[in-house]
Short mmCIF file of all heavy atoms in Angstrom, two decimals:
data_model
loop_
_atom_site.label_atom_id
_atom_site.label_comp_id
_atom_site.label_asym_id
_atom_site.label_seq_id
_atom_site.Cartn_x
_atom_site.Cartn_y
_atom_site.Cartn_z
N LEU Z 116 0.81 -1.21 0.00
CA LEU Z 116 0.00 0.00 0.00
C LEU Z 116 0.84 1.27 0.00
O LEU Z 116 0.43 2.29 -0.52
CB LEU Z 116 -0.93 0.02 1.22
CG LEU Z 116 -2.01 -1.06 1.25
CD1 LEU Z 116 -2.82 -0.95 2.53
CD2 LEU Z 116 -2.90 -0.98 0.03
N VAL Z 117 2.01 1.20 0.62
CA VAL Z 117 2.90 2.36 0.72
C VAL Z 117 4.26 1.99 0.15
O VAL Z 117 4.80 0.92 0.44
CB VAL Z 117 3.05 2.85 2.18
CG1 VAL Z 117 4.04 4.00 2.28
CG2 VAL Z 117 1.70 3.26 2.75
N SER Z 118 4.78 2.89 -0.64
CA SER Z 118 6.11 2.71 -1.17
C SER Z 118 7.02 3.77 -0.55
O SER Z 118 6.67 4.94 -0.52
CB SER Z 118 6.10 2.85 -2.69
OG SER Z 118 7.37 2.55 -3.19
N VAL Z 119 8.14 3.33 -0.01
CA VAL Z 119 9.12 4.23 0.59
C VAL Z 119 10.34 4.21 -0.32
O VAL Z 119 10.96 3.17 -0.51
CB VAL Z 119 9.49 3.79 2.02
CG1 VAL Z 119 10.55 4.72 2.61
CG2 VAL Z 119 8.25 3.75 2.91
N ILE Z 120 10.65 5.35 -0.88
CA ILE Z 120 11.78 5.43 -1.80
C ILE Z 120 12.71 6.54 -1.33
O ILE Z 120 12.26 7.60 -0.90
CB ILE Z 120 11.31 5.66 -3.26
CG1 ILE Z 120 12.50 5.72 -4.22
CG2 ILE Z 120 10.42 6.86 -3.39
CD1 ILE Z 120 12.12 5.67 -5.68
N MET Z 121 13.99 6.25 -1.38
CA MET Z 121 14.97 7.25 -0.96
C MET Z 121 16.02 7.40 -2.04
O MET Z 121 16.24 6.48 -2.84
CB MET Z 121 15.59 6.86 0.37
CG MET Z 121 16.26 5.51 0.39
SD MET Z 121 16.35 4.80 2.04
CE MET Z 121 14.74 4.06 2.17
N GLY Z 122 16.65 8.55 -2.06
CA GLY Z 122 17.64 8.85 -3.08
C GLY Z 122 18.93 8.09 -2.93
O GLY Z 122 19.68 7.92 -3.89
N SER Z 123 19.20 7.60 -1.73
CA SER Z 123 20.46 6.92 -1.46
C SER Z 123 20.28 5.98 -0.27
O SER Z 123 19.47 6.25 0.63
CB SER Z 123 21.54 7.96 -1.13
OG SER Z 123 22.69 7.36 -0.62
N LYS Z 124 21.05 4.91 -0.26
CA LYS Z 124 21.02 3.99 0.88
C LYS Z 124 21.41 4.69 2.18
O LYS Z 124 20.97 4.31 3.27
CB LYS Z 124 21.95 2.80 0.60
CG LYS Z 124 21.89 1.72 1.64
CD LYS Z 124 22.83 0.58 1.29
CE LYS Z 124 22.87 -0.43 2.41
NZ LYS Z 124 23.86 -1.48 2.15
N SER Z 125 22.17 5.76 2.07
CA SER Z 125 22.59 6.50 3.26
C SER Z 125 21.41 7.18 3.97
O SER Z 125 21.52 7.60 5.11
CB SER Z 125 23.67 7.54 2.91
OG SER Z 125 23.13 8.54 2.06
N ASP Z 126 20.26 7.28 3.29
CA ASP Z 126 19.06 7.86 3.89
C ASP Z 126 18.31 6.85 4.77
O ASP Z 126 17.41 7.22 5.51
CB ASP Z 126 18.10 8.36 2.81
CG ASP Z 126 18.71 9.45 1.95
OD1 ASP Z 126 19.58 10.19 2.44
OD2 ASP Z 126 18.30 9.57 0.77
N LEU Z 127 18.68 5.59 4.68
CA LEU Z 127 17.95 4.53 5.39
C LEU Z 127 17.89 4.72 6.91
O LEU Z 127 16.82 4.51 7.49
CB LEU Z 127 18.51 3.15 5.03
CG LEU Z 127 17.73 1.95 5.54
CD1 LEU Z 127 16.28 1.99 5.07
CD2 LEU Z 127 18.40 0.66 5.09
N PRO Z 128 18.96 5.14 7.59
CA PRO Z 128 18.84 5.32 9.04
C PRO Z 128 17.72 6.30 9.43
O PRO Z 128 17.01 6.06 10.40
CB PRO Z 128 20.21 5.86 9.46
CG PRO Z 128 21.15 5.30 8.42
CD PRO Z 128 20.36 5.31 7.14
N VAL Z 129 17.53 7.37 8.67
CA VAL Z 129 16.44 8.31 8.94
C VAL Z 129 15.11 7.66 8.59
O VAL Z 129 14.14 7.74 9.34
CB VAL Z 129 16.62 9.62 8.14
CG1 VAL Z 129 15.36 10.48 8.21
CG2 VAL Z 129 17.82 10.39 8.65
N MET Z 130 15.05 6.97 7.47
CA MET Z 130 13.79 6.42 6.98
C MET Z 130 13.32 5.20 7.77
O MET Z 130 12.17 4.81 7.67
CB MET Z 130 13.90 6.10 5.50
CG MET Z 130 14.11 7.35 4.64
SD MET Z 130 12.92 8.68 5.02
CE MET Z 130 11.41 7.90 4.44
N GLU Z 131 14.20 4.62 8.58
CA GLU Z 131 13.80 3.49 9.43
C GLU Z 131 12.63 3.89 10.33
O GLU Z 131 11.79 3.06 10.66
CB GLU Z 131 14.96 2.99 10.29
CG GLU Z 131 15.94 2.10 9.56
CD GLU Z 131 15.38 0.74 9.16
OE1 GLU Z 131 14.28 0.34 9.65
OE2 GLU Z 131 16.02 0.06 8.36
N ARG Z 132 12.57 5.16 10.72
CA ARG Z 132 11.47 5.62 11.57
C ARG Z 132 10.13 5.51 10.84
O ARG Z 132 9.11 5.19 11.44
CB ARG Z 132 11.73 7.04 12.06
CG ARG Z 132 12.84 7.06 13.10
CD ARG Z 132 13.20 8.47 13.51
NE ARG Z 132 14.59 8.65 13.09
CZ ARG Z 132 15.15 9.79 12.78
NH1 ARG Z 132 14.47 10.91 12.83
NH2 ARG Z 132 16.40 9.86 12.42
N ALA Z 133 10.13 5.76 9.55
CA ALA Z 133 8.91 5.59 8.75
C ALA Z 133 8.57 4.11 8.65
O ALA Z 133 7.40 3.72 8.81
CB ALA Z 133 9.08 6.18 7.36
N LEU Z 134 9.57 3.29 8.41
CA LEU Z 134 9.33 1.85 8.27
C LEU Z 134 8.79 1.27 9.58
O LEU Z 134 7.86 0.47 9.56
CB LEU Z 134 10.61 1.14 7.85
CG LEU Z 134 11.29 1.66 6.58
CD1 LEU Z 134 12.54 0.85 6.25
CD2 LEU Z 134 10.34 1.71 5.40
N ASP Z 135 9.37 1.69 10.70
CA ASP Z 135 8.90 1.21 12.01
C ASP Z 135 7.44 1.63 12.25
O ASP Z 135 6.65 0.84 12.78
CB ASP Z 135 9.78 1.77 13.14
CG ASP Z 135 11.17 1.16 13.15
OD1 ASP Z 135 11.39 0.12 12.51
OD2 ASP Z 135 12.06 1.77 13.80
N THR Z 136 7.10 2.85 11.87
CA THR Z 136 5.73 3.34 12.06
C THR Z 136 4.76 2.55 11.18
O THR Z 136 3.70 2.13 11.65
CB THR Z 136 5.65 4.84 11.75
OG1 THR Z 136 6.55 5.54 12.63
CG2 THR Z 136 4.25 5.38 11.95
N LEU Z 137 5.13 2.32 9.94
CA LEU Z 137 4.27 1.54 9.04
C LEU Z 137 4.09 0.12 9.59
O LEU Z 137 2.98 -0.42 9.59
CB LEU Z 137 4.85 1.51 7.63
CG LEU Z 137 4.84 2.86 6.90
CD1 LEU Z 137 5.69 2.77 5.63
CD2 LEU Z 137 3.42 3.31 6.58
N ARG Z 138 5.19 -0.47 10.06
CA ARG Z 138 5.11 -1.83 10.64
C ARG Z 138 4.17 -1.85 11.85
O ARG Z 138 3.39 -2.78 12.00
CB ARG Z 138 6.50 -2.30 11.09
CG ARG Z 138 7.37 -2.84 10.00
CD ARG Z 138 8.67 -3.42 10.57
NE ARG Z 138 9.66 -3.48 9.53
CZ ARG Z 138 10.68 -2.64 9.38
NH1 ARG Z 138 10.91 -1.68 10.26
NH2 ARG Z 138 11.51 -2.78 8.38
N SER Z 139 4.26 -0.84 12.69
CA SER Z 139 3.45 -0.82 13.92
C SER Z 139 1.96 -0.77 13.61
O SER Z 139 1.14 -1.20 14.42
CB SER Z 139 3.86 0.33 14.83
OG SER Z 139 3.41 1.57 14.33
N PHE Z 140 1.59 -0.26 12.44
CA PHE Z 140 0.19 -0.21 12.03
C PHE Z 140 -0.17 -1.37 11.10
O PHE Z 140 -1.30 -1.45 10.63
CB PHE Z 140 -0.12 1.12 11.33
CG PHE Z 140 -0.40 2.25 12.28
CD1 PHE Z 140 0.63 3.01 12.80
CD2 PHE Z 140 -1.69 2.55 12.67
CE1 PHE Z 140 0.39 4.05 13.68
CE2 PHE Z 140 -1.96 3.58 13.55
CZ PHE Z 140 -0.92 4.34 14.06
N GLY Z 141 0.80 -2.22 10.80
CA GLY Z 141 0.54 -3.36 9.93
C GLY Z 141 0.33 -2.99 8.47
O GLY Z 141 -0.37 -3.70 7.75
N ILE Z 142 0.93 -1.90 8.04
CA ILE Z 142 0.78 -1.44 6.66
C ILE Z 142 1.82 -2.13 5.78
O ILE Z 142 3.03 -1.99 6.02
CB ILE Z 142 0.97 0.10 6.56
CG1 ILE Z 142 0.04 0.84 7.50
CG2 ILE Z 142 0.83 0.56 5.11
CD1 ILE Z 142 -1.42 0.69 7.21
#
């Protein structure tokens, strides 16, 4: 349902917070 795209793998540490939030809602 949601696609998370980042310009570089180096953005992943910041984007983990989005992934954790999506996981917590079962998205």
Side-chain angles (χ1 to χ4, degrees):
L116 294 178
V117 176
S118 186
V119 178
I120 181 169
M121 58 204 83
S123 169
K124 186 180 174 185
S125 65
D126 299 332
L127 188 56
V129 169
M130 295 311 293
E131 281 291 348
R132 288 175 244 153
L134 305 181
D135 290 344
T136 301
L137 292 169
R138 279 186 200 104
S139 74
F140 278 86
I142 305 296

